[in-house]
Amino acid sequence: MENGQQSYSRQGSALGRSLQRAGSSLTLQRASTLPTQDKQLRHAATMPITHDQENLRPCCGGMWKVQQFVGFVIGLTCFISLSVFQPIKDYPSANAMLGITLLCGAFWVFEVGPIYITALLPVVMMPIMGITSSEIAAQSYWNMIQMLVIGTYLVDIALEEVHLPRRVVLKLLLITGVVQPALLLFSFMLLCWVLSMFCNNIAVTLMITPFAIEIMSSAEEQARDLMASDVSSSDEASDEGFVDASIEEVQRFSSGLLLGIAYSSTAGGMATLTGTITNEVLYGIGKVPDQLSYSKWWVYAAGTSFATFVIGYIVLYLRYCRGLQLKTLTREMFEQEHEELVKEIGPFSRDEFCVGLIQLLQFLLLLFRPSIASYFISPYGETLISDPTLAVLPALLLFFIPSVVRPRQALLAWPDVHDKFDFGLLLLIGGGFAIAHGFSESGLNIAIGQGLAGMTESVHPFTLNLMIIFMTSIATQMFSAIGTATTMLPALYAAAINAVHNPFAFVLPATLGCSLGFMLPTATPANVVVLAKSQELSRSLKIRDFFCSGLPLNFLVIVIGSVLTYFSGGTAFDALSPFPRWACDEGVTCLWVPVPGTVNSGVHVLSQACMIRADDPDATTCRLWNGTILNTSAYLVM
């Protein structure tokens, strides 16, 4: 009888474990299902479902988890339904393009396949569906934006190779003598916030998180040793309670510290064009790159970035640090960590100094690009230098300056680049650009723009700004920052153009909103990294840790960020003005006509854009913002 009960118990336990594993296929990501090795984690940061180590994958011969199969069904159903029923009657190709967009969106969100491979679907399907040629579609996958990404990532890899950020953290802690939990949290968050403005925030999180885990593991080990040495001075019951409380405090602070690293890295990344992938996606949309610069984006986003950093620190302090006293966080522990660092990589070297200077040089070149470019003008008035050149130039120096730590090698070796550079990111960005091009080629931008014009005609600009930030932030929580950006930014830009609205009023707040993902662990790459790395602690991060801390942070930043960007957008990009002339694709989809009138809720202009109607094959008519139809012949002659 007992054997039967034990057998039944074992079967029930096995069944429970199986159900738990199956449940993970339908619920949010858990730390235990993610890899912890840096090489795998680099990819898991952008594809957490694909790199989930969960064994139970019941669909497609054991290849897919349940949500991946659901994403496949949703994407394929949307594509087939739109292609067959064609709800957009005026622009038949727009139906196929919308189907391709939803198919890619579903595959990106549910990670039906690697997101980088999904990004190749447009170059295959757009020519097959008659939207555009293979040659034109393929051009989206290699342009100036991809070169900008390469230049910035090479310098990030060099920083990681020489361990400069880790040394800077330790030196900062030793110089300031920080041992209080609140000050330690602030120090780590400040460093991550600043570094993420210079480097990509994924790289910063990968560099700083392991070091933070080393410190907290040492603190917890010292707490256990300290309690064990005092066991003879008090009764056993009270001693066990004291031990548990002390260790629980360390574990509690460890969770807050990891969340602080993720939140501050995301906050710092949003302040610069190359700080986060979503900003880089914006840099390749339509004619936006001609109007963007490091300095302008800094003016636009720095206020919200700083507000996010401050609010994030306050929220984490109140939840994890208030009233906390960790006796095991001592200067001696930091000195021991510094000694181990010196044993591992040696004293401060010329390599670290040179890499730091190259990083600073790259940042300054990109920041002052408008002034630098003014000295490089062709005889025909064309600007010869832009951001890709200024980003790659310092990166090239890494391969020509000899290393003193690694004799007969340069500061950065190609094997290091091969191991750590995420080349799939170039395909992902190209896929977003291909979708944006398909919008204009198929007429989908016009169909969406016409619907958007009616919705936004009476909406105040501030309300529109708030709505876009709110919607993209919520979408980011559910679908991830990268998936939201690559799907929504091209759609919003195309819709704004054909609604004859200033495109900056749509794409700027949407880009910022894609960085406001603090409530769920897979919303941003930084969240995924700290979630995975937390497995190395005795208590890993839970979904409730992200949600309880991220909910008030998200709410406050959405409100405050909407106010700040409403004014900074007008200052940096003139986003509150009517449809600008730079956005008018002269003679192709738009004409700039000397027709006075009232646009955008009462703004009087002397000239304005007239959108050439796609349903007019001879391009003989165009449409003003108020719907007036003009004959284009007189203006084309002009």
Side-chain angles (χ1 to χ4, degrees):
M1 183 69 178
E2 290 181 359
N3 292 336
Q5 290 178 341
Q6 291 175 356
S7 174
Y8 180 80
S9 176
R10 286 194 297 269
Q11 292 174 359
S13 177
L15 178 61
R17 289 193 297 270
S18 298
L19 291 174
Q20 185 181 22
R21 288 196 299 269
S24 72
S25 296
L26 296 170
T27 57
L28 298 171
Q29 201 77 45
R30 294 176 290 116
S32 60
T33 67
L34 290 169
T36 57
Q37 296 297 320
D38 283 357
K39 188 172 182 179
Q40 294 178 316
L41 189 53
R42 289 177 189 278
H43 301 291
T46 53
M47 295 183 288
I49 297 176
T50 301
H51 289 81
D52 189 339
Q53 297 175 335
E54 183 62 52
N55 292 324
L56 190 60
R57 294 174 178 261
C59 304
C60 195
M63 184 176 67
W64 285 342
K65 297 178 69 176
V66 173
Q67 68 260 47
Q68 291 173 298
F69 179 74
V70 170
F72 175 78
V73 172
I74 292 174
L76 199 61
T77 301
C78 290
F79 174 72
I80 294 175
S81 300
L82 288 166
S83 299
V84 172
F85 296 106
Q86 298 198 349
I88 306 174
K89 303 300 181 183
D90 295 335
Y91 310 100
S93 296
N95 297 285
M97 190 63 228
L98 181 59
I100 294 171
T101 303
L102 295 178
L103 177 67
C104 292
F107 279 26
W108 272 326
V109 168
F110 294 96
E111 294 181 30
V112 176
I115 60 174
Y116 307 134
I117 300 304
T118 298
L120 293 175
L121 287 177
V123 79
V124 174
M125 301 187 69
M126 284 163 54
I128 291 176
M129 301 304 296
I131 296 171
T132 188
S133 67
S134 297
E135 181 180 1
I136 294 175
Q139 290 174 0
S140 300
Y141 291 84
W142 188 256
N143 56 36
M144 59 178 285
I145 311 307
Q146 277 87 340
M147 292 305 300
L148 173 64
V149 172
I150 289 174
T152 55
Y153 262 74
L154 288 176
V155 179
D156 293 347
I157 293 171
L159 277 175
E160 186 176 351
E161 282 297 304
V162 298
H163 300 277
L164 183 58
R166 183 181 172 190
R167 193 187 297 274
V168 169
V169 174
L170 269 175
K171 282 292 185 182
L172 178 65
L173 296 177
L174 289 173
I175 292 173
T176 58
V178 171
V179 292
Q180 294 298 319
L183 291 177
L184 184 63
L185 174 65
F186 181 81
S187 298
F188 268 91
M189 289 185 66
L190 179 63
L191 183 71
C192 290
W193 181 63
V194 173
L195 281 176
S196 294
M197 298 179 194
F198 294 85
C199 312
N200 186 276
N201 59 3
I202 300 178
V204 172
T205 312
L206 282 167
M207 286 187 279
I208 300 300
T209 304
F211 173 60
I213 289 175
E214 286 180 14
I215 290 179
M216 297 317 301
S217 296
S218 297
E220 183 171 344
E221 184 179 350
Q222 289 190 22
R224 294 181 185 276
D225 292 342
L226 181 62
M227 296 305 104
S229 65
D230 294 339
V231 70
S232 59
S233 61
S234 58
D235 62 272
E236 184 176 352
S238 62
D239 201 50
E240 288 180 356
F242 189 43
V243 171
D244 291 341
S246 179
I247 295 175
E248 185 179 345
E249 286 186 341
V250 176
Q251 294 172 344
R252 171 186 165 192
F253 179 71
S254 299
S255 298
L257 184 60
L258 292 186
L259 289 175
I261 291 171
Y263 291 168
S264 57
S265 296
T266 300
M270 73 173 70
T272 60
L273 284 174
T274 55
T276 182
I277 297 173
T278 54
N279 293 359
E280 292 167 346
V281 173
L282 169 68
Y283 201 42
I285 302 297
K287 291 191 172 184
V288 169
D290 297 334
Q291 308 301 315
L292 275 182
S293 68
Y294 254 63
S295 55
K296 284 185 177 181
W297 181 263
W298 172 265
V299 172
Y300 174 74
T304 305
S305 173
F306 179 72
T308 305
F309 166 72
V310 173
I311 296 171
Y313 174 74
I314 293 173
V315 169
L316 294 176
Y317 169 79
L318 294 176
R319 188 159 192 261
Y320 293 100
C321 296
R322 185 173 53 176
L324 197 63
Q325 293 291 333
L326 299 180
K327 297 180 179 180
T328 53
L329 282 176
T330 62
R331 181 179 178 84
E332 289 73 20
M333 186 183 72
F334 294 138
E335 290 175 346
Q336 182 179 354
E337 290 288 338
H338 184 261
E339 291 175 0
E340 293 178 0
L341 175 66
V342 172
K343 288 180 182 179
E344 179 182 348
I345 64 175
F348 184 77
S349 67
R350 193 193 70 181
D351 288 19
E352 295 171 73
F353 179 74
C354 290
V355 171
L357 281 182
I358 289 173
Q359 174 69 82
L360 180 61
L361 174 63
Q362 185 183 69
F363 179 78
L364 293 176
L365 287 174
L366 292 171
L367 184 64
F368 294 105
R369 186 258 294 174
S371 300
I372 296 172
S374 64
Y375 293 98
F376 297 88
I377 306 295
S378 73
Y380 305 102
E382 180 187 5
T383 301
L384 299 176
I385 283 185
S386 59
D387 286 342
T389 299
L390 299 178
V392 173
L393 174 61
L396 289 177
L397 298 177
L398 296 168
F399 297 92
F400 292 95
I401 298 176
S403 168
V404 296
V405 176
R406 300 184 298 185
R408 296 188 296 276
Q409 294 190 43
L411 290 177
L412 184 61
W414 179 252
D416 300 325
V417 177
H418 184 270
D419 289 341
K420 296 185 177 181
F421 190 92
D422 192 354
F423 289 97
L425 179 61
L426 305 179
L427 296 179
L428 179 63
I429 296 174
F433 297 162
I435 289 175
H437 188 78
F439 270 51
S440 58
E441 289 288 316
S442 66
L444 179 58
N445 55 345
I446 300 175
I448 296 177
Q450 289 173 348
L452 189 64
M455 295 171 56
T456 60
E457 184 174 351
S458 59
V459 176
H460 189 274
F462 174 77
T463 305
L464 178 65
N465 192 64
L466 176 62
M467 289 171 55
I468 292 175
I469 291 179
F470 176 78
M471 288 188 297
T472 51
S473 176
I474 297 301
T476 295
Q477 314 295 334
M478 298 184 292
F479 306 137
S480 84
I482 297 173
T484 301
T486 50
T487 304
M488 292 190 67
L489 292 185
L492 287 172
Y493 177 83
I497 292 292
N498 286 277
V500 203
H501 278 266
N502 191 327
F504 275 146
F506 290 80
V507 296
L508 291 179
T511 303
L512 196 74
C514 289
S515 291
L516 304 184
F518 305 111
M519 291 192 296
L520 294 178
T522 54
T524 64
N527 290 4
V528 175
V529 171
V530 298
L531 175 70
K533 284 292 187 181
S534 69
Q535 296 179 68
E536 300 174 13
L537 295 170
S538 59
R539 179 194 178 276
S540 61
L541 286 171
K542 303 295 189 296
I543 292 173
R544 64 175 178 268
D545 295 321
F546 285 93
F547 187 80
C548 294
S549 301
L551 181 62
L553 175 59
N554 248 115
F555 174 77
L556 292 172
V557 172
I558 287 174
V559 175
I560 295 174
S562 297
V563 176
L564 293 174
T565 55
Y566 174 74
F567 293 104
S568 63
T571 301
F573 295 103
D574 203 17
L576 302 178
S577 66
F579 188 89
R581 185 162 189 169
W582 62 261
C584 182
D585 195 1
E586 289 280 1
V588 181
T589 60
C590 170
L591 290 176
W592 195 260
V593 297
V595 177
T598 301
V599 299
N600 291 91
S601 303
V603 179
H604 185 75
V605 295
L606 298 177
S607 59
Q608 57 182 300
C610 190
M611 308 307 296
I612 297 175
R613 300 173 64 189
D615 56 350
D616 183 358
D618 298 323
T620 57
T621 57
C622 63
R623 174 180 51 85
L624 298 178
W625 180 85
N626 61 5
T628 302
I629 304 299
L630 299 180
N631 191 300
T632 61
S633 57
Y635 303 105
L636 287 172
V637 173
M638 294 175 61

